[in-house]
Amino acid sequence: MKPRSLKKFIYLSIAAAVVTIGLKFIAYFKTGSMGFFSDALESFVNLFAAIVALILLHISEKPADKGHEYGHGKAEYFSSAIEGALILIAAFSIIYTSIPRIINPQPLENLGIGALFSFGATLVNLFVGLTLIQNGKKHKSIVLEADGKHLMTDVWTSVGVIAGILVVKFTGLSVLDPIIAIIVALNIVYAGYKLISRSASGLMDAAIPQEEIKQITDYFDSLKEKNIDYHSLLTRQAGHRKFISFHLLVPGKWTVKEGHDYAEEIEQHIETMFDDIVTVTTHIEPIEDPKSFNDIGIDRLNYSDKYDAK
């Protein structure tokens, strides 16, 4: 099954970033608020991150070739890692520019108009962020989901900034403005950490989620009444593609063709269990041979032998 191109959603993210940059910088220039400035700077990060996501999504959608026989799916993890790094840079820039304003607070102007422009940008990010998250989960794309969650972080950031600016408007405490900006920055730091952490997990060949592994093992358990068993189940996730391998134990009296045909049937069933792309690899063994039950890991060692060697 050929994966569906998801680039159109990234184009939507780029368009949203351009629109919100304009609206938020109008809010900043109208008011001189560091809160609005921090919010606008995050939208610049959104734009750069979306462009990077588009490039790496294009790479991840390339078919397997001689140099990358397992495909290019892991390119998606680089996208979310870069996006996380950009978020951290923006956060520390906000903190750096806000500290002097705490020491020397500046009066703010036109806060009502600024809040109105910022609210318009927030609505744009809310719509696009929810769209990206929904389609990221649907298509198992970490690029879309990461970009969508980043935009939702921006939404909550903007809501906090608008609320804080309104407090400044009604209290006259200008020192609250840079404090709000720093709180926003700390929230952005957490979002960046989460993105980088998730990318690192993917690049380290993390297994598919436990609930999905249970779906597979429950299916295998249902075959035992037919004198079919399994072991050495190994899984990993690479972007929108799952890799699943296992040893299938079948009656030794079966012909090679019978074993192969049954393995094909099982592989096809597992592939239909999930919405994303699945690559299944099977090794067939005779169920009557006790040696067939020895679990073999990625290094082709019997686990008991490996531990005895230690």
Side-chain angles (χ1 to χ4, degrees):
M1 181 173 63
K2 183 179 179 180
R4 176 186 176 189
S5 178
L6 305 177
K7 293 177 190 174
K8 65 180 181 180
F9 297 110
I10 299 298
Y11 287 128
L12 178 63
S13 180
I14 291 174
V18 171
V19 170
T20 55
I21 284 171
L23 292 173
K24 290 180 180 181
F25 267 101
I26 290 174
Y28 166 63
F29 288 127
K30 288 281 187 182
T31 63
S33 164
M34 287 305 301
F36 285 142
F37 173 75
S38 66
D39 210 12
L41 190 61
E42 187 175 5
S43 286
F44 258 119
V45 174
N46 293 349
L47 177 59
F48 292 137
I51 292 172
V52 170
L54 179 63
I55 294 170
L56 291 174
L57 187 60
H58 174 73
I59 295 173
S60 73
E61 290 180 350
K62 287 183 177 181
D65 54 39
K66 288 185 178 180
H68 306 86
E69 295 180 342
Y70 285 92
H72 301 78
K74 282 194 174 183
E76 293 195 21
Y77 296 115
F78 287 101
S79 173
S80 56
I82 292 171
E83 185 166 353
L86 289 172
I87 291 174
L88 294 179
I89 292 172
F92 290 118
S93 298
I94 292 167
I95 294 172
Y96 178 78
T97 54
S98 297
I99 290 176
R101 293 286 286 268
I102 293 178
I103 299 171
N104 297 302
Q106 301 293 321
L108 305 178
E109 300 176 351
N110 302 316
L111 294 182
I113 296 175
L116 187 62
F117 277 102
S118 183
F119 182 71
T122 302
L123 291 180
V124 173
N125 278 336
L126 177 63
F127 169 75
V128 177
L130 291 175
T131 300
L132 293 179
I133 291 174
Q134 179 183 3
N135 284 279
K137 290 180 177 178
K138 179 180 178 181
H139 300 288
K140 301 294 188 295
S141 171
I142 189 174
V143 171
L144 293 189
E145 199 173 341
D147 205 25
K149 287 183 177 180
H150 183 186
L151 289 180
M152 290 305 296
T153 299
D154 198 5
V155 168
W156 291 113
T157 294
S158 298
V159 169
V161 168
I162 293 170
I165 291 301
L166 292 177
V167 171
V168 173
K169 177 179 175 64
F170 291 111
T171 64
L173 296 175
S174 299
V175 72
L176 290 177
D177 176 51
I179 293 174
I180 292 168
I182 290 175
I183 293 173
V184 167
L186 294 176
N187 182 52
I188 295 173
V189 167
Y190 178 70
Y193 163 76
K194 293 270 285 185
L195 283 176
I196 293 173
S197 176
R198 184 174 180 184
S199 297
S201 177
L203 291 171
M204 293 294 290
D205 279 338
I208 67 175
Q210 283 298 317
E211 59 270 19
E212 295 181 349
I213 291 177
K214 189 175 186 304
Q215 284 181 256
I216 298 171
T217 57
D218 285 348
Y219 169 62
F220 281 143
D221 289 340
S222 71
L223 301 175
K224 290 184 177 180
E225 62 184 24
K226 300 179 182 179
N227 198 28
I228 304 295
D229 211 335
Y230 78 98
H231 69 110
S232 296
L233 175 63
L234 300 174
T235 70
R236 68 183 178 92
Q237 184 87 36
H240 56 270
R241 184 182 293 273
K242 290 177 170 63
F243 290 92
I244 300 168
S245 67
F246 55 89
H247 291 197
L248 186 66
L249 281 64
V250 301
K253 65 181 181 180
W254 281 11
T255 65
V256 173
K257 185 178 186 307
E258 286 176 318
H260 173 266
D261 289 346
Y262 199 78
E264 282 283 315
E265 181 182 329
I266 291 176
E267 289 173 6
Q268 290 174 12
H269 181 83
I270 293 174
E271 289 172 359
T272 62
M273 292 170 66
F274 307 103
D275 293 330
D276 49 356
I277 314 299
V278 181
T279 297
V280 183
T281 305
T282 314
H283 175 74
I284 300 175
E285 298 175 312
I287 197 169
E288 297 86 358
D289 187 350
K291 292 181 180 179
S292 295
F293 288 87
N294 290 337
D295 272 334
I296 297 176
I298 192 171
D299 294 321
R300 301 290 299 169
L301 291 174
N302 183 317
Y303 281 126
S304 61
D305 291 342
K306 180 172 67 174
Y307 292 129
D308 289 344
K310 292 181 179 180

